[in-house]
Structure formats: C-alpha cells, structure tokens
Amino acid sequence: MNITQEKTGNLNAVVKIKIAPADYSGKVEKAIKDQAKKAQLPGFRKGMVPAAHIKKMYGKSILVEEVNNLLNDTLSNYIAEQKLEILGQPLPQMDDEREFKWDNTDEFEFDYELGLAPAFDVNVSSKDKYTEYVVKADKETLESRIKNIRRSYGKMTNPEVSAEGDVLYAELTQLGADGAAFEGGISNTATLRLDLVKDKKILKSLVGLKKEDEVTVDLVKAFDDAAVVAKALNISEEDAADLKSNFKLAVKNVNRLEESDLNQEFFDKLFGEGTVTDEAGFRAKITEEVESMFKQDAERKLSNDIYEDLLKKHTFELPDEFLRRWLKATNEKLTDEELAEGYDDFAKNLKWTLIENKIIKDNSIEIKYEDVVQAAKAKLDAQFRMYSPSPLPEDQLAQYAVQFLQEKENANRVFEEVKALKTFEQIKTIVTLEQKDIDYDKFIALDKA
C-alpha cells in the first residue's frame, strides 16, 4: 500500500491511496468463506455452500465492500498518524476515466480531498477590556415576581363581579355578520385569563361581569395571540389566525386566585422551616432570586461581547470552496440558494469553534462527565423553578439529569454548553473585567442595541 499527500493550496490537500491485491486479497477471501458458512441457498445445506459458488455470485460486491472498509481505516489512520487537523470530512475525487477490473487482481488508486484547519494563535491579554454588568432588580419586576409567587400558593375564590387578573369560565359562540349565532359555527366552553387580554378597550368590557352576563367580543383582537385563541376555541392555530368573527361570551363563573398571606406557613413552604421569618427576609430572598436570573442574562451578554470581539481580532482564512462542496455533498436537500444564504453564519460558527478548541488545547482544559451532569442538573432545576420556587430533592434532580442525558442530542448539547462555559471562564481569567451596576430596563435596552 502506498499513501502520499499533495498540498493543493494553503488549506487544501489531496491524499492518494494506492492499494495492491496483497493489501485486500486475504480480507476478501476470509469474507467469502465467512459468507459461505452463513449462506442459505437452494440446493445446499446451511453452511455447506462452496466458497467458489459464493465468490461467483457475490465476489464483486464483497470485494467492493472490503476495499471500502480498508480505504476508510487507512485514511482515518493516516490522518491520525500525520496529526492532520481537517475540517469537515475527506471528499473522494471522482475520476470518470479511471476504470477498475474488480476481479481480485487489480491495483486501485483513490484520491481524497482534504480541507485543512488554519494554524493560528489566540491573542487574548489583560489589555482586552470588557464591561461586566451587575443588573439590579427594579421595583416593577420584583413586585410582579412576588405577586406570581403569592398567587401560586394562594386559594381559588368565586367573586360575584370580575376584575382585572380574574379568569372567566364562559361559553363562546361564533356570531355571523348580523350578530346572530352562526349556524354550524364554532362553539366551546373554556377559561379565559383576563391578564392575557392585550386590547385595553376589550379588557374594560370584560371587567365588572357577573355570572350569566353576556358580551360580544373579538377574541383575535382581544388576545392578539393565535395560540391562546386556538386553545379557547379548541381549534388549530392556523384556523385561529384566520378568524374574522365576533363571539358571544356567556359567563358561567368568575374565578379569582387570591394571593397567599405573607405568614410563616407561606415562608416555610417556599424556603424551608425557619429559613425566612418576616416580609423583609422574604423580599430579600426574592430579590436575590431575581438578580440571580439577571446575572445569567449579564453573563450571556459578556460572553457574546467577548465572542464578537475575538472573532473580529482573529481573521484567519478557511478552505471555503472545499467546505461549500462538503456541505453540498453531506446535505442532499441543501439548495445552492440556501448554501449561499447560510454559509457566512456557518463559517462564523466554525471559526469560533476553532478558537474555542485552541483555547481548550493550549490551557489543557478538561471536560469531565461530572461537569456535564452538574450542568444538566442546573438546567433542569432552573426549568422546575419556573413553576415552583421550591427546589427538588437532590436525589430526584440527579435522577432526572441522568435520564435527560441518556438522549444523545441532549448530552451533546449540554457538553457543548459546558465546553463554552469553560472556554469563557478561562478567557475571563486573562482579560480585564470592569463591573458596572445597571437597572434592568436599561440593561434590556442596551442588550437589544
């Protein structure tokens, strides 16, 4: 076997592999014998089919398979041995003029094009300065969070008259252009949350209603959300988006979720017995929770600022034409238009991956299984806390995390998140970070800019 490499550009190379009969004949003969032992053919007992018969019937396909296996192993080993850093995967170069006998006596030559990763150094130092925002909880956000938590632990009542924030249990009937019930139209009984009504005029018409009151309402205009309308009417979102009719809303009941009292029983349910003993301690805990969520937003902005800055500073080239061909070869449904539109974003993400890998390699950063499990637990804990501020028991959270990571897609995604986190942590130990306090609304405006 003979393997050679020819550079065809700064970031391109062709690997030529020449295979002689001595390289594959033994493998082919063994595969034929193994096939003969397992073959079930008419006129022969199982395991008694002559190898010559199998060779005559399937020799060519077995030869092709074994040569392909040999090629894949040879190319992979060569890339590893030569320590070639490639992008994408090797692309076979097709040669219509080259013909093979495929008769176990032929010499084969195959050419593979490689896209090579560029060599570069990561330029990061203490001269690089970034703002690390400390986002403070504003009164409006804090009060909204407190209200939601108190309602989550509150009790349901049925007041006589509806108010903003109540839930109407009502019968909805589609009306025709004349204002009468539309024959064969949509009819459903559902709960309607008044806190989701976006049109102020319509909201005003739904406040002050009593049981058995009736009003006419444009649901699409009221909620401005096809998903909410679809759920209320038990129809598809597509049909909800196309609705042009008004509906008669007949109140069957008014429901109100009363906020829980700020007492010791409430505090103990939230934080554990005796952890919080008064309203001031409760507000301090909620402020800490809200600002912890804001901290995650601030960290995302800092990471994005570093990401964009390092990409601007590192302007190395990629084997673009090779990568475009590779993307087309590995994505049959990818059109030329889609490739043209999406390639710049692909190249940007690839450049960052190379920078990230370089930082990890240069600093001998390890990503352990325990790191991935811990990240999965944190992700799941945050999701559960959206519905209840009370934390799950540690053993239950760990069990959920293991189950979550059994899905390969989830495991890969969390691994990449841990990898990114460790990369940015390393960068932040080198660069200069300047902390700055900022109100939440100003931070949001800054983040959108």
Side-chain angles (χ1 to χ4, degrees):
M1 187 182 303
N2 184 31
I3 308 174
T4 59
Q5 180 190 161
E6 177 186 342
K7 290 292 291 288
T8 57
N10 289 335
L11 299 174
N12 296 86
V14 173
V15 172
K16 298 178 181 291
I17 303 176
K18 292 183 179 180
I19 301 177
D23 299 316
Y24 61 81
S25 294
K27 297 178 183 294
V28 172
E29 294 302 324
K30 183 179 182 303
I32 289 173
K33 290 177 182 178
D34 290 342
Q35 182 77 2
K37 292 176 183 178
K38 296 182 290 184
Q40 291 183 339
L41 297 177
F44 298 95
R45 283 183 294 168
K46 183 178 179 181
M48 301 300 291
V49 180
H53 192 70
I54 294 295
K55 184 174 183 179
K56 183 178 180 181
M57 294 182 66
Y58 306 113
K60 182 176 180 179
S61 61
I62 292 174
L63 173 62
V64 171
E65 182 178 357
E66 291 302 320
V67 167
N68 279 330
N69 291 338
L70 180 60
L71 276 173
N72 290 333
D73 292 343
T74 301
L75 186 58
S76 297
N77 292 336
Y78 178 80
I79 290 171
E81 290 167 3
Q82 297 295 315
K83 297 181 180 180
L84 298 177
E85 293 188 40
I86 67 170
L87 302 179
Q89 297 165 318
L91 286 180
Q93 287 189 330
M94 308 307 293
D95 187 348
D96 295 334
E97 296 181 1
R98 185 180 292 166
E99 294 184 8
F100 300 128
K101 298 176 185 177
W102 295 111
D103 59 1
N104 246 23
T105 63
D106 202 2
E107 289 190 351
F108 304 113
E109 180 179 328
F110 299 91
D111 299 343
Y112 290 90
E113 184 181 3
L114 306 182
L116 305 177
F120 65 96
D121 292 320
V122 175
N123 181 22
V124 180
S125 73
S126 59
K127 294 181 180 180
D128 298 309
K129 296 181 180 181
Y130 301 95
T131 302
E132 186 176 31
Y133 290 99
V134 180
V135 186
K136 298 298 182 181
D138 61 282
K139 184 177 180 181
E140 183 180 350
T141 303
L142 194 59
E143 292 303 325
S144 175
R145 178 61 178 158
I146 289 173
K147 182 177 181 179
N148 287 337
I149 292 174
R150 292 180 67 181
R151 290 183 70 177
S152 296
Y153 285 83
K155 61 180 179 178
M156 188 69 72
T157 61
N158 301 108
E160 290 188 10
V161 180
S162 66
E164 289 189 26
D166 286 346
V167 177
L168 297 181
Y169 183 61
E171 184 179 356
L172 301 167
T173 305
Q174 188 175 15
L175 303 177
D178 58 357
F182 185 64
E183 186 175 352
I186 301 168
S187 179
N188 192 46
T189 302
T191 56
L192 301 174
R193 288 175 50 182
L194 298 191
D195 64 329
L196 297 180
V197 176
K198 297 176 182 176
D199 187 282
K200 293 182 179 180
K201 187 175 181 181
I202 294 177
L203 176 60
K204 188 176 181 180
S205 72
L206 299 176
V207 170
L209 298 179
K210 300 185 296 293
K211 192 175 181 179
E212 297 183 0
D213 280 352
E214 295 181 357
V215 293
T216 299
V217 61
D218 181 342
L219 294 176
V220 173
K221 184 178 179 182
F223 294 103
D224 192 26
D225 188 330
V228 175
V229 176
K231 184 177 180 182
L233 298 176
N234 195 27
I235 60 176
S236 70
E237 288 190 31
E238 291 77 9
D239 290 341
D242 293 334
L243 269 178
K244 305 297 181 186
S245 308
N246 286 333
F247 282 78
K248 181 179 75 173
L249 185 154
V251 180
K252 299 174 76 69
N253 210 351
V254 179
N255 300 323
R256 179 174 299 166
L257 190 59
E258 299 284 359
E259 294 181 11
S260 174
D261 294 329
L262 295 175
N263 54 29
Q264 194 60 48
E265 180 184 2
F266 172 62
F267 299 149
D268 289 348
K269 283 181 180 177
L270 277 176
F271 308 111
E273 188 173 350
T275 303
V276 171
T277 57
D278 56 21
E279 183 177 345
F282 164 71
R283 286 182 170 274
K285 276 283 189 183
I286 301 305
T287 301
E288 182 183 335
E289 176 201 298
V290 170
E291 291 187 347
S292 176
M293 290 189 290
F294 291 168
K295 185 178 180 181
Q296 293 176 20
D297 294 335
E299 287 176 349
R300 274 194 291 271
K301 174 164 178 52
L302 174 59
S303 295
N304 189 64
D305 290 345
I306 294 172
Y307 166 84
E308 294 291 348
D309 187 53
L310 291 190
L311 280 174
K312 287 180 183 177
K313 289 174 65 177
H314 298 83
T315 56
F316 52 80
E317 295 182 351
L318 296 175
D320 294 308
E321 290 308 313
F322 168 83
L323 289 171
R324 288 188 175 93
R325 291 197 299 276
W326 172 71
L327 287 170
K328 283 284 286 183
T330 54
N331 296 273
E332 293 180 358
K333 295 181 180 180
L334 184 67
T335 65
D336 291 337
E337 292 76 14
E338 290 171 335
L339 178 61
E341 290 175 3
Y343 183 77
D344 286 345
D345 286 338
F346 166 81
K348 183 178 181 180
N349 290 332
L350 179 56
K351 285 183 177 181
W352 175 254
T353 299
L354 292 172
I355 293 172
E356 191 177 50
N357 290 343
K358 180 71 172 170
I359 291 171
I360 287 174
K361 182 179 179 181
D362 289 350
N363 294 279
S364 302
I365 297 173
E366 288 186 80
I367 301 173
K368 300 177 182 177
Y369 177 72
E370 293 80 3
D371 299 327
V372 177
V373 172
Q374 198 61 37
K377 285 165 62 178
K379 178 186 287 287
L380 293 172
D381 183 53
Q383 291 176 359
F384 288 127
R385 285 179 183 268
M386 291 175 62
Y387 304 100
S388 171
S390 302
L392 282 177
E394 178 63 24
D395 58 341
Q396 191 174 357
L397 186 60
Q399 183 180 353
Y400 283 142
V402 171
Q403 292 173 349
F404 180 76
L405 292 173
Q406 286 176 350
E407 291 285 338
K408 185 177 180 181
E409 186 176 335
N410 292 337
N412 289 340
R413 185 168 63 251
V414 177
F415 176 86
E416 290 300 325
E417 289 171 359
V418 172
K419 179 183 173 185
L421 180 63
K422 284 181 174 286
T423 301
F424 285 116
E425 284 177 348
Q426 176 62 31
I427 294 171
K428 285 187 280 188
T429 64
I430 301 171
V431 301
T432 300
L433 300 178
E434 299 175 342
Q435 285 197 346
K436 180 179 180 181
D437 290 351
I438 188 172
D439 292 334
Y440 180 66
D441 56 346
K442 291 181 180 178
F443 174 77
I444 292 298
L446 182 69
D447 202 25
K448 289 180 178 179

